[in-house]
Amino acid sequence: MRSGRITTLVVSDAEALSRQNYVAAVTPRVQSSGTLRFDATEASAQINGVGEQFFAATGAKLVAGSLFDRAAVTGMAQDVVIDENTRNALFAGGGDPVGAVLIFDNVPLRVTGVISISAGGPGGGSQNLGLYAPYTTVQARISGSMALNSITVQVADTVDTAVAEQAVTQFLTQRHGTTDFFIMNTDEIRQTITTTTQTLTLLIAAIAVISLIVGGIGVMNIMLVSVSERISEIGVRMAVGARRSDIMQQFLIEAVLVCLMGSLLGIALALGFGVVFGALSTQFTLVYSGASIIAAFASSSLIGVVFGFMPARNAARLDPVVALSGA
């Protein structure tokens, strides 16, 4: 689902846009700041006057209660839908907000539902208190103005957002006789975020590869030192019948075990950090993937084989006579 916002318009523009075949949903939006009160709790908040299609257009998820409908918008009902930040701020004791009456600038509003907060939905994941009432109610009872702050348009899934943006621009320009508005296409923002995320992923992957190479070189140096200190042991094994493949296998297994011990320690530290982080912060949760843990073990084994190969080969190629002499 994709949407764009247009500003400095009127309700008739939203109604006209809703009849276009490239539009899936349209909702006017007005905003007003004021003081929100419930019992002994008081806070500054912003109320959003929206249409009944606003929640579908922005992808808001209902947590409790119900959303208002077209009848509530037409009848200027004093209903309000709150987000989770507002619920946590006003109902910290764990009470049910549905059915409660809030006072916004001396206007009573009955809570009909609670919606969740997401990065792309209402509130944008911020800590601001979010209230959503019928736009007719906000215009008539709170702001006293019939002007709209914006119109949210959800583009049909079968239509490209760039094409829809151009069509909306032409349509509104013809209605107004001039381009006295601007359009914000959130799909472009999404694409920018996606591109930035991909770039950061590549950078993190590059850092991880460099770290693996550095760690592999360290393992190789450890194994080279181990070979040089155990020449006599290697000579004895060869003297009693060990083949070169046996010597190579021994040192490769040791290199892999060293890497696996390192991966176990890293995973244990990551899990421990997650426990501590979860105890200190309630806003974020670290998610662990079983596939990632398995990939870590596989990478460690591969590093052990690749960087342990040269020390293992050097050990296998030692001359038994020279090795027995300890030279």
Side-chain angles (χ1 to χ4, degrees):
M1 296 298 187
R2 300 158 291 188
S3 65
R5 285 187 175 85
I6 4 184
T7 60
T8 60
L9 302 174
V10 293
V11 175
S12 60
D13 291 321
E15 295 173 348
L17 277 171
S18 65
R19 294 189 289 269
Q20 306 306 306
N21 56 12
Y22 51 83
V23 173
V26 175
T27 172
R29 184 169 183 172
V30 295
Q31 294 176 311
S32 181
S33 298
T35 301
L36 179 65
R37 294 190 300 275
F38 177 73
D39 288 342
T41 304
E42 182 175 302
S44 297
Q46 184 178 70
I47 190 168
N48 298 270
V50 297
E52 73 280 0
Q53 295 182 339
F54 174 79
F55 305 102
T58 55
K61 295 182 179 180
L62 184 66
V63 175
S66 61
L67 306 174
F68 53 78
D69 54 14
R70 180 63 184 173
V73 175
T74 304
M76 293 183 291
Q78 292 177 249
D79 295 338
V80 65
V81 174
I82 63 175
D83 61 13
E84 292 176 308
N85 282 338
T86 307
R87 181 186 63 181
N88 296 337
L90 300 183
F91 301 88
D96 185 9
V98 177
V101 176
L102 311 181
I103 305 299
F104 186 89
D105 279 356
N106 298 321
V107 177
L109 300 170
R110 182 177 62 89
V111 178
T112 63
V114 181
I115 58 173
S116 62
I117 300 174
S118 63
S126 70
Q127 296 302 309
N128 296 327
L129 304 186
L131 300 100
Y132 303 88
Y135 70 90
T136 52
T137 303
V138 175
Q139 287 177 326
R141 302 180 186 276
I142 298 175
S143 68
S145 172
M146 295 296 106
L148 299 179
N149 292 103
S150 64
I151 297 176
T152 299
V153 178
Q154 181 186 16
V155 179
D157 291 336
T158 57
V159 180
D160 184 80
T161 52
V163 175
E165 180 179 348
Q166 183 178 5
V168 170
T169 302
Q170 293 176 350
F171 178 79
L172 292 175
T173 300
Q174 290 176 356
R175 281 181 59 88
H176 292 196
T178 183
T179 307
D180 57 351
F181 56 89
F182 71 89
I183 293 179
M184 183 178 69
N185 191 335
T186 56
D187 194 55
E188 295 177 354
I189 299 175
R190 181 189 60 80
Q191 292 174 359
T192 301
I193 294 174
T194 301
T195 302
T196 303
T197 302
Q198 291 174 345
T199 302
L200 290 175
T201 301
L202 289 175
L203 290 175
I204 293 173
I207 294 172
V209 169
I210 294 172
S211 300
L212 287 175
I213 293 174
V214 172
I217 293 174
V219 170
M220 183 175 63
N221 289 334
I222 291 173
M223 296 309 299
L224 286 172
V225 171
S226 177
V227 170
S228 64
E229 291 179 346
R230 298 162 63 186
I231 291 178
S232 298
E233 175 190 332
I234 296 170
V236 171
R237 290 202 64 195
M238 288 181 171
V240 297
R243 296 167 297 180
R244 289 189 173 184
S245 60
D246 297 328
I247 302 298
M248 178 172 286
Q249 184 180 23
Q250 174 188 347
F251 282 93
L252 281 177
I253 291 175
E254 290 181 6
V256 171
L257 288 176
V258 169
C259 292
L260 286 178
M261 288 177 62
S263 66
L264 280 173
L265 180 60
I267 292 171
L269 288 174
L271 294 175
F273 174 78
V275 173
V276 175
F277 185 84
L280 297 178
S281 174
T282 58
Q283 299 297 324
F284 301 96
T285 302
L286 296 183
V287 178
Y288 297 97
S289 169
S292 298
I293 295 176
I294 294 174
F297 280 114
S299 299
S300 298
S301 301
L302 181 62
I303 291 297
V305 171
V306 172
F307 289 91
F309 177 78
M310 188 176 74
R313 186 188 62 175
N314 291 348
R317 288 186 175 183
L318 286 175
D319 184 87
V321 178
V322 176
L324 278 172
S325 67

